[in-house]
Amino acid sequence: MQLTANIQNHHFDHILLNAAGVMCQTNEELNTVLSSSYTGAVVTKSATANHRPGNPAPRYFELPNHLGTINSMGLPNEGFNYYLDYVSTNPSQKPIFFSIAGLSKQENLDMLHQLQNSDFDGLIELNLSCPNVPGKPQTAYDFEATQQILSEAFAFFKKPLGVKLPPYFDIVHFDMIADILNQFPLAFVNTINSIGNGLVIDEDSDTVVIKPKGGFGGIGGTLVKATALANVRALRQRLNADIKIIGTGGVTTGRDVYDHILCGADLVEVGSQLAIEGITVFDRLERELTAILEEKGYQSLEEVRGQLKVL
């Protein structure tokens, strides 16, 4: 069974990988993801220029009945130089996505300049969608700001660059963001980040379950699958064919992976379920996906990718 994909000149022997933010903050966590026989790549923690401890705890909570998670982590990370040192001193047989999430446009451009001038030959993810930094808006909801930063980035950046997007909820917004993204030689689009600013209440104490922002946080896991699939599908229909799509959100079973592929995803990231289940989730998901493909008589993902039927 061929469970492979390609983004520009990078080949992936497996389509599953971690979502930025989960099991990727330290060297040890990155190595754990890379060492799995069922991951096609690893994504580094979205880096800011300097080390960040993130928001105060409690900042992560698993919802009952396997509904998903809520978090307001606040971009805790070891800082840009930590991850640049990791990718420079740890050669990998698998592709590496270097994720950056600057706290300003200039911070992002400065990190992109450093990556352009470095020996790093992997893929770069520009995270325009972190919903959990107090006082910082999600850039990708500001279409003018998104076009501006991409225009300035591609004026000098020549390595494979993609963007991570927040969820969109209006058809017009799909049209608007696609019109912008299609102007640039993007390698990929990663959709979606968590659904921002949900609120979960503990039934026993009548209290919010996380501390930052008065309890507001990003929702992930099972609850976001329908929104994630809609974004994968809508963007695949609108983006240039050479812009690949990484589907993220709501992946807890092999069927969820299959559905992302059916909607047009090339790779599929796992976030909440990886945090809940640990590294063995990739083995289980691939086995479940393979069983579905075999039952339906498929030999490869190319027979499935983007083949969603409509009424």
Side-chain angles (χ1 to χ4, degrees):
M1 184 67 66
Q2 296 295 310
L3 302 179
T4 62
N6 294 282
I7 296 180
Q8 292 193 357
N9 62 335
H10 295 274
H11 177 75
F12 302 83
D13 290 329
H14 301 267
I15 63 164
L16 297 174
L17 58 160
N18 68 297
V22 184
M23 201 172 286
C24 59
Q25 182 162 341
T26 66
N27 292 353
E28 293 74 20
E29 290 176 337
L30 291 163
N31 287 337
T32 297
V33 175
L34 282 172
S35 65
S36 169
S37 299
Y38 302 93
T39 55
V42 70
V43 186
T44 67
K45 191 76 167 68
S46 292
T48 51
N50 301 306
H51 170 267
R52 280 179 61 87
N55 293 337
R59 57 191 187 183
Y60 169 86
F61 182 81
E62 295 176 10
L63 280 62
N65 303 315
H66 308 289
L67 291 177
T69 62
I70 183 171
N71 85 86
S72 183
M73 303 300 290
L75 278 178
N77 72 94
E78 303 303 318
F80 176 82
N81 288 333
Y82 179 93
Y83 301 108
L84 185 60
D85 180 69
Y86 175 83
V87 300
S88 301
T89 58
N90 292 271
S92 170
Q93 298 301 311
K94 298 179 181 180
I96 295 178
F97 289 83
F98 196 120
S99 184
I100 62 171
L103 300 179
S104 67
K105 182 182 73 172
Q106 192 57 52
E107 186 173 314
N108 276 320
L109 293 173
D110 289 345
M111 289 189 286
L112 288 174
H113 271 291
Q114 293 180 71
L115 284 166
Q116 178 64 44
N117 296 330
S118 74
D119 293 330
F120 177 62
D121 61 356
L123 302 104
I124 294 86
E125 175 182 272
L126 176 59
N127 186 344
L128 300 177
S129 60
C130 183
N132 299 314
V133 177
K136 298 293 181 180
Q138 295 190 59
T139 299
Y141 283 145
D142 183 331
F143 297 117
E144 183 177 342
T146 297
Q147 178 147 13
Q148 185 64 36
I149 190 172
L150 291 177
S151 296
E152 294 188 34
F154 279 107
F156 66 89
F157 201 78
K158 306 304 179 185
K159 295 182 178 182
L161 176 65
V163 292
K164 186 169 185 176
L165 298 176
Y168 297 100
F169 302 97
D170 192 293
I171 295 297
V172 173
H173 292 156
F174 290 131
D175 295 337
M176 293 173 68
I177 192 65
D179 286 346
I180 292 170
L181 300 178
N182 282 333
Q183 298 174 33
F184 303 98
L186 288 164
F188 65 92
V189 166
N190 184 352
T191 182
I192 60 174
N193 208 329
S194 57
I195 298 179
N197 296 313
L199 189 73
V200 175
I201 298 171
D202 179 79
E203 294 181 0
D204 294 328
S205 65
D206 293 346
T207 305
V208 296
V209 297
I210 59 174
K211 182 175 182 178
K213 300 196 299 183
F216 287 80
I219 302 295
T222 303
L223 283 174
V224 310
K225 179 184 173 182
T227 299
L229 293 181
N231 278 257
V232 171
R233 171 72 165 173
L235 290 174
R236 182 66 287 159
Q237 291 176 315
R238 289 164 173 78
L239 292 177
N240 297 334
D242 55 354
I243 300 177
K244 303 297 186 178
I245 291 187
I246 302 174
T248 308
V251 176
T252 63
T253 68
R255 178 69 210 202
D256 299 329
V257 179
Y258 179 86
D259 288 348
H260 270 275
I261 300 300
L262 201 60
C263 288
D266 295 275
L267 298 173
V268 177
E269 291 186 356
V270 187
S272 292
Q273 194 62 29
L274 174 59
I276 293 168
E277 189 172 334
I279 195 65
T280 58
V281 69
F282 295 113
D283 177 6
R284 178 179 63 78
L285 292 176
E286 184 168 298
R287 284 188 284 106
E288 292 175 359
L289 173 62
T290 300
I292 293 169
L293 294 170
E294 290 177 344
E295 181 181 354
K296 292 178 176 290
Y298 294 120
Q299 299 300 313
S300 75
L301 290 176
E302 289 306 312
E303 300 173 70
V304 178
R305 190 169 278 124
Q307 298 304 307
L308 179 67
K309 301 174 184 177
V310 295
L311 300 177

